[in-house]
mmCIF file of all heavy atoms in Angstrom:
data_model
loop_
_atom_site.group_PDB
_atom_site.id
_atom_site.type_symbol
_atom_site.label_atom_id
_atom_site.label_comp_id
_atom_site.label_asym_id
_atom_site.label_seq_id
_atom_site.Cartn_x
_atom_site.Cartn_y
_atom_site.Cartn_z
ATOM 1 N N ALA D 1386 90.282 117.741 89.219
ATOM 2 C CA ALA D 1386 90.828 116.612 88.452
ATOM 3 C C ALA D 1386 91.508 117.115 87.179
ATOM 4 O O ALA D 1386 92.626 116.700 86.858
ATOM 5 C CB ALA D 1386 89.723 115.605 88.122
ATOM 6 N N ARG D 1387 90.864 118.047 86.476
ATOM 7 C CA ARG D 1387 91.459 118.579 85.243
ATOM 8 C C ARG D 1387 92.798 119.256 85.516
ATOM 9 O O ARG D 1387 93.771 119.038 84.807
ATOM 10 C CB ARG D 1387 90.532 119.606 84.596
ATOM 11 C CG ARG D 1387 89.421 119.006 83.812
ATOM 12 C CD ARG D 1387 88.593 120.083 83.106
ATOM 13 N NE ARG D 1387 87.334 119.523 82.689
ATOM 14 C CZ ARG D 1387 87.192 118.779 81.601
ATOM 15 N NH1 ARG D 1387 88.215 118.553 80.819
ATOM 16 N NH2 ARG D 1387 86.025 118.259 81.294
ATOM 17 N N ALA D 1388 92.832 120.097 86.554
ATOM 18 C CA ALA D 1388 94.058 120.834 86.864
ATOM 19 C C ALA D 1388 95.194 119.862 87.194
ATOM 20 O O ALA D 1388 96.332 120.046 86.756
ATOM 21 C CB ALA D 1388 93.820 121.798 88.024
ATOM 22 N N LEU D 1389 94.867 118.829 87.949
ATOM 23 C CA LEU D 1389 95.908 117.866 88.335
ATOM 24 C C LEU D 1389 96.347 117.016 87.153
ATOM 25 O O LEU D 1389 97.540 116.686 87.029
ATOM 26 C CB LEU D 1389 95.413 117.003 89.503
ATOM 27 C CG LEU D 1389 95.748 117.537 90.908
ATOM 28 C CD1 LEU D 1389 97.253 117.461 91.164
ATOM 29 C CD2 LEU D 1389 95.287 118.964 91.140
ATOM 30 N N ILE D 1390 95.414 116.710 86.244
ATOM 31 C CA ILE D 1390 95.786 115.952 85.042
ATOM 32 C C ILE D 1390 96.784 116.779 84.220
ATOM 33 O O ILE D 1390 97.794 116.258 83.754
ATOM 34 C CB ILE D 1390 94.538 115.574 84.208
ATOM 35 C CG1 ILE D 1390 93.759 114.463 84.920
ATOM 36 C CG2 ILE D 1390 94.943 115.123 82.802
ATOM 37 C CD1 ILE D 1390 92.365 114.210 84.378
ATOM 38 N N VAL D 1391 96.511 118.071 84.087
ATOM 39 C CA VAL D 1391 97.437 118.935 83.331
ATOM 40 C C VAL D 1391 98.810 118.888 83.985
ATOM 41 O O VAL D 1391 99.825 118.665 83.321
ATOM 42 C CB VAL D 1391 96.908 120.396 83.245
ATOM 43 C CG1 VAL D 1391 97.960 121.317 82.644
ATOM 44 C CG2 VAL D 1391 95.618 120.456 82.451
ATOM 45 N N GLN D 1392 98.865 119.045 85.303
ATOM 46 C CA GLN D 1392 100.160 119.030 86.001
ATOM 47 C C GLN D 1392 100.871 117.693 85.849
ATOM 48 O O GLN D 1392 102.074 117.644 85.582
ATOM 49 C CB GLN D 1392 99.963 119.330 87.482
ATOM 50 C CG GLN D 1392 99.677 120.795 87.744
ATOM 51 C CD GLN D 1392 99.693 121.102 89.229
ATOM 52 O OE1 GLN D 1392 100.456 120.538 90.000
ATOM 53 N NE2 GLN D 1392 98.827 122.004 89.637
ATOM 54 N N GLU D 1393 100.129 116.592 86.020
ATOM 55 C CA GLU D 1393 100.742 115.264 85.945
ATOM 56 C C GLU D 1393 101.220 114.971 84.528
ATOM 57 O O GLU D 1393 102.273 114.365 84.338
ATOM 58 C CB GLU D 1393 99.760 114.175 86.404
ATOM 59 C CG GLU D 1393 99.271 114.293 87.840
ATOM 60 C CD GLU D 1393 100.357 114.093 88.894
ATOM 61 O OE1 GLU D 1393 101.445 113.604 88.572
ATOM 62 O OE2 GLU D 1393 100.113 114.460 90.054
ATOM 63 N N GLU D 1394 100.446 115.401 83.539
ATOM 64 C CA GLU D 1394 100.860 115.114 82.162
ATOM 65 C C GLU D 1394 102.055 115.966 81.752
ATOM 66 O O GLU D 1394 102.935 115.487 81.027
ATOM 67 C CB GLU D 1394 99.686 115.277 81.193
ATOM 68 C CG GLU D 1394 98.691 114.133 81.398
ATOM 69 C CD GLU D 1394 97.747 113.900 80.232
ATOM 70 O OE1 GLU D 1394 97.669 114.755 79.323
ATOM 71 O OE2 GLU D 1394 97.078 112.859 80.241
ATOM 72 N N MET D 1395 102.103 117.201 82.204
ATOM 73 C CA MET D 1395 103.263 118.041 81.897
ATOM 74 C C MET D 1395 104.503 117.476 82.594
ATOM 75 O O MET D 1395 105.604 117.498 82.048
ATOM 76 C CB MET D 1395 103.029 119.500 82.329
ATOM 77 C CG MET D 1395 101.952 120.225 81.543
ATOM 78 S SD MET D 1395 102.050 120.010 79.751
ATOM 79 C CE MET D 1395 103.480 121.000 79.345
ATOM 80 N N HIS D 1396 104.292 116.944 83.781
ATOM 81 C CA HIS D 1396 105.395 116.325 84.511
ATOM 82 C C HIS D 1396 105.889 115.068 83.775
ATOM 83 O O HIS D 1396 107.095 114.871 83.599
ATOM 84 C CB HIS D 1396 104.948 115.976 85.934
ATOM 85 C CG HIS D 1396 105.940 115.126 86.659
ATOM 86 N ND1 HIS D 1396 107.147 115.605 87.088
ATOM 87 C CD2 HIS D 1396 105.913 113.824 86.982
ATOM 88 C CE1 HIS D 1396 107.819 114.628 87.659
ATOM 89 N NE2 HIS D 1396 107.095 113.531 87.608
ATOM 90 N N ALA D 1397 104.937 114.250 83.317
ATOM 91 C CA ALA D 1397 105.307 113.039 82.580
ATOM 92 C C ALA D 1397 106.073 113.414 81.309
ATOM 93 O O ALA D 1397 107.031 112.743 80.921
ATOM 94 C CB ALA D 1397 104.056 112.227 82.238
ATOM 95 N N ASP D 1398 105.664 114.524 80.677
ATOM 96 C CA ASP D 1398 106.353 114.974 79.461
ATOM 97 C C ASP D 1398 107.791 115.388 79.782
ATOM 98 O O ASP D 1398 108.714 115.105 79.021
ATOM 99 C CB ASP D 1398 105.574 116.157 78.859
ATOM 100 C CG ASP D 1398 106.275 116.725 77.641
ATOM 101 O OD1 ASP D 1398 106.471 115.967 76.657
ATOM 102 O OD2 ASP D 1398 106.650 117.906 77.660
ATOM 103 N N GLU D 1399 107.950 116.032 80.934
ATOM 104 C CA GLU D 1399 109.282 116.466 81.372
ATOM 105 C C GLU D 1399 110.195 115.231 81.535
ATOM 106 O O GLU D 1399 111.341 115.224 81.079
ATOM 107 C CB GLU D 1399 109.115 117.181 82.723
ATOM 108 C CG GLU D 1399 110.230 118.086 83.146
ATOM 109 C CD GLU D 1399 109.853 118.855 84.419
ATOM 110 O OE1 GLU D 1399 109.395 118.248 85.413
ATOM 111 O OE2 GLU D 1399 110.028 120.070 84.409
ATOM 112 N N VAL D 1400 109.650 114.197 82.172
ATOM 113 C CA VAL D 1400 110.419 112.969 82.386
ATOM 114 C C VAL D 1400 110.671 112.283 81.042
ATOM 115 O O VAL D 1400 111.779 111.826 80.759
ATOM 116 C CB VAL D 1400 109.679 112.005 83.348
ATOM 117 C CG1 VAL D 1400 110.447 110.703 83.513
ATOM 118 C CG2 VAL D 1400 109.475 112.667 84.705
ATOM 119 N N ASN D 1401 109.624 112.234 80.201
ATOM 120 C CA ASN D 1401 109.761 111.604 78.893
ATOM 121 C C ASN D 1401 110.889 112.251 78.086
ATOM 122 O O ASN D 1401 111.701 111.560 77.472
ATOM 123 C CB ASN D 1401 108.425 111.714 78.139
ATOM 124 C CG ASN D 1401 108.413 110.836 76.905
ATOM 125 O OD1 ASN D 1401 109.099 111.126 75.934
ATOM 126 N ND2 ASN D 1401 107.654 109.753 76.949
ATOM 127 N N LYS D 1402 110.959 113.569 78.131
ATOM 128 C CA LYS D 1402 112.006 114.270 77.365
ATOM 129 C C LYS D 1402 113.391 113.971 77.915
ATOM 130 O O LYS D 1402 114.364 113.938 77.177
ATOM 131 C CB LYS D 1402 111.725 115.772 77.343
ATOM 132 C CG LYS D 1402 110.599 116.101 76.363
ATOM 133 C CD LYS D 1402 110.165 117.535 76.422
ATOM 134 C CE LYS D 1402 109.035 117.769 75.411
ATOM 135 N NZ LYS D 1402 108.266 118.976 75.710
ATOM 136 N N MET D 1403 113.465 113.735 79.226
ATOM 137 C CA MET D 1403 114.768 113.393 79.805
ATOM 138 C C MET D 1403 115.196 111.996 79.375
ATOM 139 O O MET D 1403 116.376 111.675 79.399
ATOM 140 C CB MET D 1403 114.715 113.482 81.330
ATOM 141 C CG MET D 1403 114.760 114.920 81.806
ATOM 142 S SD MET D 1403 115.109 114.978 83.560
ATOM 143 C CE MET D 1403 113.469 114.942 84.209
ATOM 144 N N LEU D 1404 114.224 111.162 79.010
ATOM 145 C CA LEU D 1404 114.549 109.794 78.602
ATOM 146 C C LEU D 1404 114.865 109.692 77.104
ATOM 147 O O LEU D 1404 115.210 108.630 76.611
ATOM 148 C CB LEU D 1404 113.397 108.853 78.971
ATOM 149 C CG LEU D 1404 113.312 108.522 80.463
ATOM 150 C CD1 LEU D 1404 111.959 107.931 80.817
ATOM 151 C CD2 LEU D 1404 114.422 107.558 80.878
ATOM 152 N N ARG D 1405 114.758 110.814 76.370
ATOM 153 C CA ARG D 1405 115.085 110.792 74.941
ATOM 154 C C ARG D 1405 116.567 111.070 74.745
ATOM 155 O O ARG D 1405 117.227 111.591 75.642
ATOM 156 C CB ARG D 1405 114.275 111.866 74.201
ATOM 157 C CG ARG D 1405 112.789 111.622 74.265
ATOM 158 C CD ARG D 1405 112.028 112.713 73.526
ATOM 159 N NE ARG D 1405 110.649 112.762 73.992
ATOM 160 C CZ ARG D 1405 109.767 113.686 73.613
ATOM 161 N NH1 ARG D 1405 110.115 114.628 72.779
ATOM 162 N NH2 ARG D 1405 108.536 113.659 74.096
ATOM 163 N N LYS D 1406 117.033 110.735 73.560
ATOM 164 C CA LYS D 1406 118.430 111.019 73.222
ATOM 165 C C LYS D 1406 118.499 112.382 72.541
ATOM 166 O O LYS D 1406 117.634 112.708 71.714
ATOM 167 C CB LYS D 1406 118.964 109.949 72.265
ATOM 168 C CG LYS D 1406 118.942 108.551 72.871
ATOM 169 C CD LYS D 1406 120.211 108.265 73.668
ATOM 170 C CE LYS D 1406 120.177 106.891 74.314
ATOM 171 N NZ LYS D 1406 119.578 106.877 75.650
ATOM 172 N N THR D 1407 119.525 113.159 72.895
ATOM 173 C CA THR D 1407 119.684 114.487 72.301
ATOM 174 C C THR D 1407 119.639 114.394 70.773
ATOM 175 O O THR D 1407 120.289 113.530 70.181
ATOM 176 C CB THR D 1407 121.020 115.108 72.761
ATOM 177 O OG1 THR D 1407 120.962 115.259 74.175
ATOM 178 C CG2 THR D 1407 121.271 116.468 72.118
ATOM 179 N N GLY D 1408 118.836 115.268 70.177
ATOM 180 C CA GLY D 1408 118.732 115.304 68.715
ATOM 181 C C GLY D 1408 117.597 114.444 68.172
ATOM 182 O O GLY D 1408 117.200 114.598 67.031
ATOM 183 N N LYS D 1409 117.057 113.574 69.027
ATOM 184 C CA LYS D 1409 115.933 112.725 68.580
ATOM 185 C C LYS D 1409 114.670 113.191 69.298
ATOM 186 O O LYS D 1409 114.595 113.170 70.509
ATOM 187 C CB LYS D 1409 116.206 111.259 68.911
ATOM 188 C CG LYS D 1409 117.433 110.670 68.210
ATOM 189 C CD LYS D 1409 117.201 109.204 67.954
ATOM 190 C CE LYS D 1409 118.375 108.415 67.460
ATOM 191 N NZ LYS D 1409 119.316 108.907 66.569
ATOM 192 N N THR D 1410 113.669 113.598 68.524
ATOM 193 C CA THR D 1410 112.471 114.176 69.145
ATOM 194 C C THR D 1410 111.375 113.144 69.389
ATOM 195 O O THR D 1410 110.365 113.466 70.016
ATOM 196 C CB THR D 1410 111.896 115.303 68.261
ATOM 197 O OG1 THR D 1410 111.668 114.777 66.958
ATOM 198 C CG2 THR D 1410 112.825 116.495 68.203
ATOM 199 N N GLY D 1411 111.563 111.933 68.894
ATOM 200 C CA GLY D 1411 110.511 110.911 69.051
ATOM 201 C C GLY D 1411 110.183 110.675 70.522
ATOM 202 O O GLY D 1411 111.070 110.658 71.378
ATOM 203 N N VAL D 1412 108.894 110.527 70.830
ATOM 204 C CA VAL D 1412 108.438 110.309 72.197
ATOM 205 C C VAL D 1412 108.990 108.982 72.734
ATOM 206 O O VAL D 1412 108.945 107.970 72.030
ATOM 207 C CB VAL D 1412 106.897 110.311 72.256
ATOM 208 C CG1 VAL D 1412 106.378 109.949 73.637
ATOM 209 C CG2 VAL D 1412 106.360 111.683 71.824
ATOM 210 N N PHE D 1413 109.516 109.005 73.950
ATOM 211 C CA PHE D 1413 110.012 107.787 74.584
ATOM 212 C C PHE D 1413 108.826 106.874 74.893
ATOM 213 O O PHE D 1413 107.822 107.312 75.473
ATOM 214 C CB PHE D 1413 110.784 108.120 75.865
ATOM 215 C CG PHE D 1413 111.096 106.917 76.699
ATOM 216 C CD1 PHE D 1413 112.191 106.103 76.405
ATOM 217 C CD2 PHE D 1413 110.291 106.570 77.782
ATOM 218 C CE1 PHE D 1413 112.465 104.973 77.157
ATOM 219 C CE2 PHE D 1413 110.564 105.447 78.554
ATOM 220 C CZ PHE D 1413 111.648 104.657 78.236
ATOM 221 N N VAL D 1414 108.932 105.622 74.503
ATOM 222 C CA VAL D 1414 107.860 104.652 74.776
ATOM 223 C C VAL D 1414 108.375 103.605 75.739
ATOM 224 O O VAL D 1414 109.424 103.006 75.509
ATOM 225 C CB VAL D 1414 107.362 103.975 73.470
ATOM 226 C CG1 VAL D 1414 106.218 103.019 73.778
ATOM 227 C CG2 VAL D 1414 106.927 105.034 72.466
#
Side-chain angles (χ1 to χ4, degrees):
R1387 280 184 196 280
L1389 269 292
I1390 287 167
V1391 172
Q1392 285 189 35
E1393 299 294 346
E1394 289 200 348
M1395 293 314 288
H1396 170 71
D1398 177 60
E1399 199 173 50
V1400 177
N1401 192 289
K1402 284 173 180 161
M1403 283 194 270
L1404 285 164
R1405 297 180 201 174
K1406 299 273 178 271
T1407 298
K1409 298 211 189 323
T1410 55
V1412 174
F1413 169 82
V1414 182

